[in-house]
Amino acid sequence: MKKLVIAFLIGIEALAVVAAMDPLDMRWTFGAHEPITMYRRKGVKTTGGIEGSSKWTDEWLNWFDTESPKLMKELGLNWCHARFYKGMGWEFEKKDYPNVRRFVDAAHANGVHVLAYIQFMTLYYENMLAEIPELATWAAKDYEGRFRCYHGNSYYRWLPCISCDEWVDYLIPIMKFAVTEGGFDGVMFDNATSKICYCERCKRKFREHLAKLPDLEQRFGFTDMRFVQPPPESVLKGEIKDALAQELIFWRSRMISDIFAKFHRELKKANPNAILSANVFEPRCADRMRTECVDIPQMIANLDFMVAQSGNYPEYDAANDRLRTRFRLLKTLRTLGMPNVALCDNDSNMTPEQEKYYLLPLLEDVLLGGVPTDRTVVSPGADCFYDKHKLERRRPLLGLFNTFVRNERGMLASRPYEPVKLLFPVQSTILSDRCHRGLGVAEEICLRRHVPFGYIISNPDALIIPEDTEVLVVSDQTCLSEAQCDSLVTWAKKGGKLVVTGDSGRCDELNRQYQTNPLKPRLAGLANVVWRDASDTFSGRFSISWAHNISAPSDNGDRLVADLAKVGFRMPYELRNVPPWVLTEVKRTQDGYAVNCLNFNPSTPLPEIEVLAPGRVVRKPTAIEEDTASRSLYRLFDVVGQ
Ligand SMILES: [Zn+2]
């Protein structure tokens, strides 16, 4: 009993720390998160644009450890991750610890919280073999049995094998040291994903996993799993119907999630206030979900905070009518209740045009619950330790931004207005490109047509429809479990408005055809349901990856918008003159609706947007103060009246 009470108290305390991480109060920045060995080994430009081989790198690091936190404080930046363990072996890396500690102390003295950077995806064998002679048995192998290496030219970085318990257990005391003697506020595992390993241990464990599954004969056609080989990566794409391939994905995602559950337990034992975070890149990327163990709901269960790094700097490519945004990602993580920093900037490579609209990603973050990021502190030049010109250009903009957040805090903290829900059955989007695209096209239509949307994120066991759902859209979700179909039918029969497109419900949650679709015939004849056999499509490419490559919907989304009207969906206001490259985020405020308009094509000035709301009052739009650059970025319309 006593143990239980203690566990409960620890839980409450840890929750309190996490609750204090309010994105509206947080401003993320970068510590120097690589050790000098990493810069030297790489030689070329790396994090923050630092020339690894330059003669001043160590001097810069020295400055960073002592002086940079003052600059962070001056700019109002109050959270960062900083170097601690890069995967070179603790015996090697602990020599740098006094410098690391100097930074942590300086950061805390300036009100900056610091997470310890721990590399999840690397074994630097050149440094680590001296400490761990059996290191080769910790490393991952590719399908041909060769060592797997980190991407790019990093032949000196082996990837670890996630089924190696010795490696997992090796990281735990390092992590614990960070949040006890190390003085860090938490840890951030970078690259918390894993490419498929084909080592003998993984093969054995995979076969053992398969042997324990039910219905082997029915599912695989045979029951003796002793001679099975894990399928090659090449089959993990498109429509994944190979049951072995499916199980490889599930088994590996579960394994990484178990590792993080263990990290979470051990971290809180060492320091209940410490924060566990991890960088899972763009968790909506289908390839990563399939081959790198990214299963968002599973990962989230073990994290206090998420870093989601991608190359999706907000922009509109007019020549190709292509919008690049983190709205999908930020809305998904908000739905899951996961505080996050969704990194998209790469300070060393920002174009002059991007630099001109420096506030754009910060606004995108703050409107959708992400933590705004600024990397000015990590942008050194050869003649100075930070880029003074950049700093002077950004300082007033950051000031404008902070004033905006302060003035509009009530609005920004209000709940989002998301009456249209898109069904997001995570497992289906992993096993089926068609489901992945189906969700993607509905999102793209809602974004471009300014339909206020959110998600219902569902696993095959359960589909819970939240109370604020006015219309539920099932966009070509071919793979749905019977339980998911039952929930949809029950909801529709009670009068819930439903738009279903394409071949939804044709297959079960494992992409196996039903004899009879458990959805379509049961929804027939209901006046509150529109079923359209033709699915919505893209006019060109659709790729959610490091950088999204998403073309416009082929009919501009007209059919889906018409279907929403057919089931009786009406917005409480009407927007006129809002081009597709201006995205809207609407909040449900105390006295009505706050319509935030963000211009993804700011080199084209915002048109004169009109908001009409008969019976309600629309207040004169506000921009972010009277600054020329930011005036083309953003408008806020208050629609007053319930
Ligand atoms: Zn392995």
Side-chain angles (χ1 to χ4, degrees), residues 256-275:
I256 212 164
S257 157
D258 287 346
I259 291 172
F260 275 87
K262 191 171 184 183
F263 286 166
H264 194 266
R265 274 195 310 274
E266 293 295 328
L267 187 82
K268 301 291 175 179
K269 260 194 249 168
N271 177 354
N273 290 317
I275 289 151

Side-chain angles (χ1 to χ4, degrees), residues 220-485:
F220 301 91
F222 61 100
T223 57
D224 183 352
M225 295 292 157
R226 285 178 300 159
F227 311 108
V228 158
Q229 297 288 336
E233 277 151 342
S234 56
V235 303
L236 303 182
K237 57 170 85 156
E239 296 301 312
I240 302 170
K241 292 180 180 248
D242 175 338
L244 275 179
Q246 295 177 347
E247 276 307 320
L248 184 65
I249 297 172
F250 300 156
W251 171 67
R252 283 175 31 80
S253 295
R254 169 55 61 189
M255 192 150 51
I256 212 164
S257 157
D258 287 346
I259 291 172
F260 275 87
K262 191 171 184 183
F263 286 166
H264 194 266
R265 274 195 310 274
E266 293 295 328
L267 187 82
K268 301 291 175 179
K269 260 194 249 168
N271 177 354
N273 290 317
I275 289 151
L276 179 61
S277 80
N279 178 14
V280 300
F281 299 106
E282 163 60 275
R284 294 289 306 278
C285 170
D287 277 345
R288 288 194 195 275
M289 292 194 278
R290 293 162 186 175
T291 63
E292 294 187 26
C293 312
V294 177
D295 182 315
I296 340 167
Q298 271 198 67
M299 274 304 272
I300 272 169
N302 306 309
L303 298 177
D304 301 315
F305 186 81
M306 184 176 272
V307 179
Q309 184 186 18
S310 78
N312 293 300
Y313 195 93
E315 63 180 8
Y316 177 71
D317 169 359
N320 297 299
D321 188 12
R322 192 195 60 201
L323 194 58
R324 196 165 273 167
T325 171
R326 291 167 298 151
F327 265 54
R328 287 177 168 78
L329 167 66
L330 291 165
K331 275 173 170 277
T332 303
L333 294 179
R334 184 169 67 187
T335 304
L336 289 162
M338 187 82 251
N340 67 86
V341 57
L343 303 172
C344 67
D345 60 327
N346 187 351
D347 222 339
S348 53
N349 292 327
M350 269 171 77
T351 63
E353 192 68 7
Q354 287 173 336
E355 186 63 45
K356 209 164 138 195
Y357 305 108
Y358 154 81
L359 286 186
L360 184 53
L362 279 75
L363 285 166
E364 193 185 24
D365 286 316
V366 85
L367 289 176
L368 292 141
V371 176
T373 305
D374 172 278
R375 296 202 204 188
T376 317
V377 178
V378 193
S379 51
D383 54 348
C384 60
F385 291 128
Y386 59 95
D387 186 333
K388 292 183 171 133
H389 299 292
K390 192 183 271 183
L391 177 69
E392 289 322 311
R393 207 166 47 236
R394 290 178 177 183
R395 194 196 299 272
L397 292 170
L398 258 176
L400 278 179
F401 177 73
N402 288 329
T403 307
F404 164 75
V405 176
R406 215 169 26 246
N407 291 346
E408 297 295 343
R409 195 188 169 88
M411 181 276 289
L412 293 168
S414 303
R415 67 195 153 97
Y417 174 60
E418 297 178 329
V420 174
K421 303 284 192 230
L422 310 183
L423 181 60
F424 179 7
V426 179
Q427 183 171 306
S428 310
T429 59
I430 293 174
L431 297 188
S432 161
D433 252 2
R434 189 159 172 181
C435 293
H436 182 57
R437 290 176 72 92
L439 175 65
V441 73
E443 287 169 322
E444 191 68 15
I445 292 169
C446 290
L447 286 170
R448 285 167 177 260
R449 300 297 293 269
H450 314 108
V451 175
F453 77 98
Y455 300 101
I456 295 178
I457 297 172
S458 161
N459 67 43
D461 301 331
L463 197 174
I464 297 156
I465 300 168
E467 294 224 329
D468 66 339
T469 307
E470 286 183 36
V471 185
L472 206 167
V473 176
V474 182
S475 174
D476 208 13
Q477 294 304 306
T478 49
C479 305
L480 293 173
S481 69
E482 288 191 39
Q484 287 169 325
C485 291

Side-chain angles (χ1 to χ4, degrees), residues 161 163 197 199 202:
C161 160
S163 79
C197 175
C199 76
C202 280

Side-chain angles (χ1 to χ4, degrees), residues 93-332:
E93 289 198 56
K94 73 181 183 189
K95 284 176 259 169
D96 188 28
Y97 172 67
N99 303 318
V100 169
R101 180 68 205 224
R102 208 151 39 91
F103 174 75
V104 175
D105 290 342
H108 284 165
N110 286 282
V112 180
H113 301 269
V114 196
L115 303 184
Y117 178 106
I118 300 180
Q119 171 63 251
F120 185 73
M121 219 201 231
T122 301
L123 308 167
Y124 280 85
Y125 57 80
E126 293 164 341
N127 313 107
M128 209 174 174
L129 268 165
E131 182 187 340
I132 316 284
E134 70 278 18
L135 191 70
T137 65
W138 295 14
K141 300 288 176 61
D142 68 10
Y143 197 73
E144 278 77 34
R146 297 170 300 212
F147 285 109
R148 293 206 84 134
C149 292
Y150 195 79
H151 63 259
N153 292 325
S154 301
Y155 61 90
Y156 45 86
R157 298 174 69 171
W158 285 342
L159 299 186
C161 160
I162 57 168
S163 79
C164 177
D165 296 334
E166 291 81 1
W167 167 69
V168 174
D169 291 341
Y170 179 81
L171 289 175
I172 288 173
I174 296 174
M175 170 189 84
K176 286 181 159 180
F177 180 83
V179 298
T180 51
E181 288 161 72
F184 282 94
D185 300 287
V187 296
M188 192 281 276
F189 282 92
D190 195 20
N191 306 308
T193 65
S194 156
K195 290 186 190 298
I196 303 176
C197 175
Y198 296 92
C199 76
E200 290 308 315
R201 178 180 47 235
C202 280
K203 287 178 184 173
R204 174 175 55 77
K205 289 190 175 183
F206 182 53
R207 291 166 188 146
E208 287 167 4
H209 162 76
L210 292 170
K212 287 186 210 140
L213 293 173
D215 305 326
L216 290 175
E217 184 79 50
Q218 159 73 13
R219 180 111 186 266
F220 301 91
F222 61 100
T223 57
D224 183 352
M225 295 292 157
R226 285 178 300 159
F227 311 108
V228 158
Q229 297 288 336
E233 277 151 342
S234 56
V235 303
L236 303 182
K237 57 170 85 156
E239 296 301 312
I240 302 170
K241 292 180 180 248
D242 175 338
L244 275 179
Q246 295 177 347
E247 276 307 320
L248 184 65
I249 297 172
F250 300 156
W251 171 67
R252 283 175 31 80
S253 295
R254 169 55 61 189
M255 192 150 51
I256 212 164
S257 157
D258 287 346
I259 291 172
F260 275 87
K262 191 171 184 183
F263 286 166
H264 194 266
R265 274 195 310 274
E266 293 295 328
L267 187 82
K268 301 291 175 179
K269 260 194 249 168
N271 177 354
N273 290 317
I275 289 151
L276 179 61
S277 80
N279 178 14
V280 300
F281 299 106
E282 163 60 275
R284 294 289 306 278
C285 170
D287 277 345
R288 288 194 195 275
M289 292 194 278
R290 293 162 186 175
T291 63
E292 294 187 26
C293 312
V294 177
D295 182 315
I296 340 167
Q298 271 198 67
M299 274 304 272
I300 272 169
N302 306 309
L303 298 177
D304 301 315
F305 186 81
M306 184 176 272
V307 179
Q309 184 186 18
S310 78
N312 293 300
Y313 195 93
E315 63 180 8
Y316 177 71
D317 169 359
N320 297 299
D321 188 12
R322 192 195 60 201
L323 194 58
R324 196 165 273 167
T325 171
R326 291 167 298 151
F327 265 54
R328 287 177 168 78
L329 167 66
L330 291 165
K331 275 173 170 277
T332 303

